Structure formats: C-alpha cells, structure tokens
Amino acid sequence: GRDHWPTCYTALIACGGIKRGYVHGKSDKTGSAPIEDPVHPRELLATIYHAFGIDPAMMMYNHLNQPRELVKGSPVTALFA
C-alpha cells in the first residue's frame, strides 16, 4: 500500500471449499507487479460470494429502485477444491 507497488498485494483466504496450501498467481522478482494469474479485488469479492452460494451477478435494487449487480467480476474458481 501507501503508493509503493500498488498493483501487487497478498491475500489469504481459507475455508469455504478453498484448496489447502494452494498458491494462485505469481509476482515479479521484486513483488511489485503480478506476472501470472492476477486477481482484481472485485474478483476476490465475487469469489467470496460464490463460496457463500450467492451469484455475484445477481441484481439488487438500491434505495432509488435502480438495478445493480452485487459485483462486476467473476469468481476465481481455480481456488476451490
């Protein structure tokens, strides 16, 4: 964070059917940029919804009755056993 290497972060998720000991993606040698299988935060959120059995593309309506998707991203199904 804090403006150095803002494109490469680490996240740890467990349970909900996630593979044990699985590492998804790869960064360059300095850890400053993803070089293999990057995951956007919205894809991580879609993956969490998917684990709970909620369709990430489900339409919800806000207080003005406007349709909104829960998240505009696809779940990373490679994380699941």
Side-chain angles (χ1 to χ4, degrees):
R2 298 187 332 267
D3 293 333
H4 31 293
W5 299 311
T7 61
C8 198
Y9 286 84
T10 300
L12 176 84
I13 56 175
C15 300
I18 300 295
K19 294 178 190 174
R20 292 174 129 194
Y22 178 72
V23 177
H24 184 84
K26 185 177 181 180
S27 65
D28 62 8
K29 68 180 184 172
T30 63
S32 60
I35 59 172
E36 186 178 304
D37 296 326
V39 176
H40 192 276
R42 67 177 149 243
E43 292 171 322
L44 180 57
L45 181 57
T47 303
I48 293 168
Y49 281 132
H50 176 80
F52 278 109
I54 299 169
D55 179 10
M58 181 171 65
M59 298 301 283
M60 301 292 293
Y61 291 88
N62 67 11
H63 67 287
L64 297 173
N65 206 30
Q66 299 167 325
R68 298 286 187 254
E69 289 176 281
L70 285 179
V71 63
K72 291 183 187 251
S74 299
V76 183
T77 56
L79 298 176
F80 295 95

